[in-house]
Amino acid sequence: MSEHDYRPKSKVGQWFNDRLPLLTLANHLTDYPTPKNLNYWWTFGGILTFCLITQIVTGLTLAMHYIAHADMAFESVEHIMRDVNYGWLIRYIHANGASMFFLAVYIHIFRSLFYGSYKSPREIIWILGIIIYLLMMAAAFMGYVLPWGQMSFWGATVITNLFSAIPLVGEGIVTWLWGGYSVDNPTLTRFFTLHYLIPFLILGLVVLHIWALHVPGNNNPVGIDIKKPSKDTVPFHPYIVIKDGFALLMFMIVFAFFVFYAPNILGHADNYIEANPMVTPAHIVPEWYLLPFYAILRSVPDKLLGVVAMLSAILILAVLPWLDTSKIRSAVFRPLYKQFYWILVADVLILGYVGAMPAEGLYLLIARVATAYYFLHFLVILPVLGFKEKTLPVPLSITEPVLGGSPNLAAARNKESKIE
Amino acid sequence: MKSLFKLLSIIIIIIASNSYSLAAEKSEYLKTDWSFKGLFGKFDRASLQRGYQVYTEVCASCHSMKYLSYRNLAEPGGPEFSEVQAKAIAASFEVTDGPNSDGEMFTRPGKLSDKFVMPYDNVKAAQAANGGAYPPDMSVLVKARGGGVDYIYSLLQGYEEAPSNVSLDDGVYYNKYMYGNKIRMAAPLSDGLVEYGDGTNATVEQMSKDVTTFLMWSAEPHLEARHQMGFKAIVYLIILTVLVYFSMKKIWSRVESEV
């Protein structure tokens, strides 16, 4: 049923819906026609929504007990861990929740890259996603500063100092960011304020992200446009709801494992030492999810150019829909792109690894090659590939490959002919 | 389902490679079987009580433990001294309180609600008494060191004669597990240094294990509750996941598509 002719059954519902069409919205969300061939990589949108809400709820609870003051922040975190009822649980969910959030967002982004979900007509969804990702990094970075441990303090010092690379005004900007001449109490209080604000900005952008998604509808593993509703689609409820729910539960098992049995494995031991401006840790490393960009930053010998490279590495994603010249969305029908895709995945993992290592010798060399390849992928390989690549024949509807038993119709047919 | 397995295997590989690298890092440390490790890990109550004794008789003369209160000693999941014992322990310390109605500070015996008494008034005083080195607060020490409990356990037993090519300044000692091998703390333990009330032989190894167990508890006082809740939570999630899986299969059987 089309959402436009939806009318609530009850008189009260009609009266309300004529004034504020919330019920029409609810009807749209439950009936929303979704491609029936979505695989489990598509469940991470729902998982990310869960992550955001978890972070907001646990974050609000923590904020009731946390004290944003340079002399008391570390102690207040220990107070939460020891004396607040289930404070340890809430804090470990929040701290590991950040890592889970990034794990999910990286899978979500790489799913888009594989199936070409960023291509027309979904560019706005993609760009909104990149903005959300940038805000997530800002929120995570500032959140890591709040416990006021050694890594908090020195991570904040290193990252804010990056702005000093800007010519002429750089130093002034850094002083302005710090609210003084070093990272200190004013820095902590403003980071706390912004850390509290950003999740709600993200929430607003998520609404836009989903709204923009519901205009063209979901992409799918075959990457073709489908008629909606049709035999290629299923209503969002109950089909996608139960499937997302199942995937979310699997995700929560992994999440729970970290929270209950390895709550500190993803953090750095130094952050259990209270911040001390007089003692610099041997290695200052960001959280794991920022390591690839940290590696790019350090691979450039010049500070300003390093910052430019790091920012470009993220912002280049925003113009990806125009860098990728191929009209075919899904990598399933792009044999060459599929290989370059996996090389890019390996490249980013390598960048993450060298980002955690000292920037010297072989590690530095690897970081430089990997950084160069990262940009090569987006700036050269993708634009050229769209013109040169011989793609496989794309099916006309989802039903066709689904009945063939595989999203790759050609492969399915090959198999059949072999059997015969 | 296929891609789901792919995803799961990726996650498992990441976790496994992580723990592998951590295990490789730890392998250089001395090993012992910690009762608090694992899915059902719990503290050894007697070891915690002995560990407290080592802390209070040896470590506490230099190392503070500022986030702990005497009441913690009687709380479930910890050393679980009886309330009478914990009160007696607290009362054995002099606590500065005040100001009173005359505006004077005064001392009184400690109460359960008091924080552990600090050995020095401030960091400067601690440094002055220890040749310029600050003995770190021990409340979360095991979480603040990369090797965790294994590192502390090894460090306490890692004192050796310095090799001939290493020259040590006055007040600096050689320890094979210390970062850079040079440590400002003299070997704190020696056989028979404390006399355990339960008759356990107070070897350096035994005391190291006991005090490290105590430090693990001080850093993670709710560890037992966490392990218990974690097991329940994960079992609950697995059962729910199985139920939802079959519901999903049933619902999706209405369309000719695989889930």
Side-chain angles (χ1 to χ4, degrees):
Chain A
M1 182 168 60
S2 166
E3 65 211 45
H4 298 295
D5 43 37
Y6 171 77
R7 262 188 92 64
K9 286 192 186 81
S10 75
K11 274 264 162 59
V12 179
Q14 285 173 16
W15 179 89
F16 182 83
N17 205 47
D18 287 342
R19 283 149 185 82
L20 180 67
L22 271 187
L23 294 169
T24 302
L25 177 68
N27 176 257
H28 162 77
L29 291 177
T30 51
D31 276 5
Y32 172 64
T34 317
K36 65 181 180 188
N37 63 336
L38 296 188
N39 56 34
Y40 282 95
W41 301 112
W42 259 268
T43 60
F44 282 87
I47 287 171
L48 282 162
T49 313
F50 164 81
C51 287
L52 177 62
I53 291 167
T54 304
Q55 290 304 86
I56 289 178
V57 171
T58 52
L60 283 173
T61 319
L62 289 173
M64 293 173 192
H65 301 279
Y66 170 78
I67 302 167
H69 189 285
D71 295 336
M72 287 181 271
F74 191 87
E75 191 183 343
S76 72
V77 171
E78 279 308 311
H79 163 69
I80 290 167
M81 291 297 289
R82 289 160 195 279
D83 296 330
V84 174
N85 290 332
Y86 298 103
W88 57 270
L89 177 64
I90 295 163
R91 172 161 176 263
Y92 279 154
I93 291 175
H94 196 73
N96 286 284
S99 282
M100 291 297 121
F101 206 156
F102 275 93
L103 176 69
V105 91
Y106 282 125
I107 294 172
H108 194 62
I109 291 171
F110 275 101
R111 188 268 291 152
S112 281
L113 292 179
F114 189 84
Y115 293 109
S117 301
Y118 49 85
K119 291 184 195 184
S120 174
R122 297 184 181 83
E123 300 95 323
I124 299 291
I125 313 173
W126 173 255
I127 291 169
L128 284 166
I130 298 300
I131 298 171
I132 292 170
Y133 174 49
L134 275 171
L135 285 175
M136 274 176 66
M137 288 200 278
F141 160 66
M142 290 192 231
Y144 196 55
V145 175
L146 302 185
W148 211 240
Q150 275 289 66
M151 273 304 154
S152 300
F153 182 89
W154 290 99
T157 304
V158 169
I159 300 297
T160 48
N161 252 318
L162 295 178
F163 289 90
S164 71
I166 302 168
L168 300 174
V169 292
E171 295 293 338
I173 289 176
V174 173
T175 309
W176 177 71
L177 285 174
W178 284 343
Y181 296 100
S182 68
V183 173
D184 206 338
N185 197 49
T187 327
L188 177 60
T189 49
R190 66 190 54 193
F191 276 22
F192 178 56
T193 311
L194 294 173
H195 182 73
Y196 206 121
L197 168 72
I198 290 173
F200 297 99
L201 298 181
I202 293 178
L203 189 64
L205 285 162
V206 166
V207 171
L208 294 182
H209 191 66
I210 295 171
W211 187 0
L213 169 71
H214 280 230
V215 177
N218 288 70
N219 184 28
N220 62 77
V222 183
I224 53 171
D225 291 323
I226 50 167
K227 266 200 229 107
K228 341 166 270 175
S230 71
K231 64 186 165 95
D232 280 348
T233 66
V234 288
F236 189 78
H237 184 75
Y239 295 96
I240 303 299
V241 168
I242 188 98
K243 194 171 168 179
D244 278 0
F246 170 65
L248 175 61
L249 283 165
M250 300 279 277
F251 183 81
M252 282 170 78
I253 292 172
V254 177
F255 195 156
F257 170 78
F258 279 106
V259 168
F260 292 108
Y261 292 107
N264 293 308
I265 203 166
L266 297 168
H268 198 291
D270 276 10
N271 228 28
Y272 278 106
I273 304 172
E274 194 169 359
N276 184 350
M278 299 299 163
V279 180
T280 316
H283 299 289
I284 300 172
V285 280
E287 292 273 75
W288 69 267
Y289 38 79
L290 302 177
L291 287 173
F293 299 105
Y294 194 54
I296 291 174
L297 170 76
R298 295 190 306 177
S299 69
V300 182
D302 181 80
K303 189 175 176 184
L304 178 60
L305 291 178
V307 175
V308 170
M310 180 176 71
L311 286 176
S312 314
I314 305 166
L315 294 178
I316 204 167
L317 294 171
V319 290
L320 179 61
W322 297 276
L323 288 173
D324 186 345
T325 50
S326 175
K327 293 280 176 280
I328 306 294
R329 292 198 192 99
S330 174
V332 171
F333 305 104
R334 300 183 62 192
L336 278 177
Y337 173 72
K338 200 194 250 177
Q339 292 176 26
F340 284 114
Y341 169 84
W342 287 111
I343 297 174
L344 180 73
V345 172
D347 187 63
V348 172
L349 289 175
I350 290 168
L351 278 171
Y353 175 74
V354 292
M357 295 295 145
E360 58 200 24
L362 188 62
Y363 292 127
L364 188 58
L365 182 70
I366 294 171
R368 286 183 175 156
V369 173
T371 300
Y373 183 80
Y374 182 89
F375 287 104
L376 189 78
H377 175 91
F378 289 107
L379 293 175
V380 180
I381 295 172
L382 279 189
V384 173
L385 213 54
F387 297 111
K388 298 281 180 195
E389 187 176 31
K390 275 188 83 177
T391 54
L392 302 174
V394 176
L396 294 171
S397 80
I398 289 175
T399 325
E400 202 181 358
V402 167
L403 290 176
S406 153
N408 189 337
L409 187 65
R413 280 188 180 150
N414 281 340
K415 262 186 217 159
E416 276 166 26
S417 60
K418 266 177 207 162
I419 293 164
E420 286 159 15
Chain B
M1 274 317 274
K2 237 197 225 162
S3 48
L4 190 69
F5 284 125
K6 249 192 237 166
L7 169 64
L8 271 180
S9 49
I10 289 171
I11 291 170
I12 288 165
I13 289 167
I14 290 171
I15 295 169
S17 58
N18 240 332
S19 52
Y20 174 75
S21 62
L22 285 165
E25 198 177 295
K26 275 177 191 165
S27 66
E28 61 189 277
Y29 297 127
L30 297 176
K31 291 270 178 194
T32 187
D33 48 328
W34 300 109
S35 62
F36 48 81
K37 290 259 161 104
L39 230 53
F40 305 102
K42 282 183 168 194
F43 289 113
D44 176 348
R45 225 55 73 194
S47 181
L48 275 183
Q49 296 197 355
R50 290 195 299 267
Y52 171 71
Q53 189 186 344
V54 176
Y55 165 74
T56 200
E57 289 181 16
V58 184
C59 319
S61 55
C62 299
H63 290 276
S64 60
M65 207 169 232
K66 58 183 174 183
Y67 300 123
L68 267 78
S69 306
Y70 294 110
R71 65 182 159 81
N72 296 136
L73 294 171
E75 282 168 3
E80 296 187 2
F81 286 107
S82 69
E83 198 170 316
V84 177
Q85 284 173 314
K87 272 184 179 158
I89 289 170
S92 68
F93 293 93
E94 286 269 288
V95 175
T96 308
D97 201 349
N100 62 14
S101 51
D102 298 327
E104 308 273 332
M105 300 303 280
F106 61 95
T107 59
R108 57 162 175 79
K111 292 186 286 195
L112 284 182
S113 56
D114 287 318
K115 295 266 188 228
F116 276 27
V117 172
M118 311 256 277
Y120 302 104
D121 289 338
N122 51 57
V123 174
K124 289 281 176 216
Q127 283 173 329
N130 288 282
Y134 172 62
D137 184 84
M138 279 184 161
S139 313
V140 285
L141 194 66
V142 294
K143 289 201 283 186
R145 297 292 180 270
V149 279
D150 293 323
Y151 169 75
I152 304 282
Y153 177 69
S154 305
L155 185 96
L156 287 169
Q157 301 174 67
Y159 286 89
E160 281 181 354
E161 280 295 312
S164 52
N165 58 345
V166 178
S167 65
L168 296 172
D169 297 334
D170 242 14
V172 178
Y173 306 87
Y174 186 85
N175 188 308
K176 62 175 170 177
Y177 298 108
M178 178 76 185
Y179 183 72
N181 296 125
K182 291 180 183 177
I183 186 165
R184 290 277 198 162
M185 174 172 74
L189 300 175
S190 56
D191 288 336
L193 185 65
V194 300
E195 199 175 320
Y196 282 140
D198 61 1
T200 307
N201 192 10
T203 60
V204 169
E205 195 186 342
Q206 183 64 44
M207 287 186 285
S208 301
K209 187 172 178 179
D210 291 340
V211 80
T212 307
T213 304
F214 179 73
L215 291 179
M216 184 68 215
W217 167 75
S218 75
E220 280 285 314
H222 300 294
L223 178 138
E224 288 187 11
R226 172 154 63 76
H227 284 176
Q228 281 162 14
M229 188 192 285
F231 182 73
K232 284 184 212 155
I234 288 174
V235 166
Y236 174 84
L237 282 171
I238 289 172
I239 294 170
L240 190 59
T241 306
V242 170
L243 292 177
V244 169
Y245 175 76
F246 286 111
S247 313
M248 177 178 75
K249 278 290 187 195
K250 174 109 196 217
I251 288 171
W252 275 80
S253 66
R254 295 179 215 155
V255 287
E256 73 301 353
S257 187
E258 67 169 312
V259 197

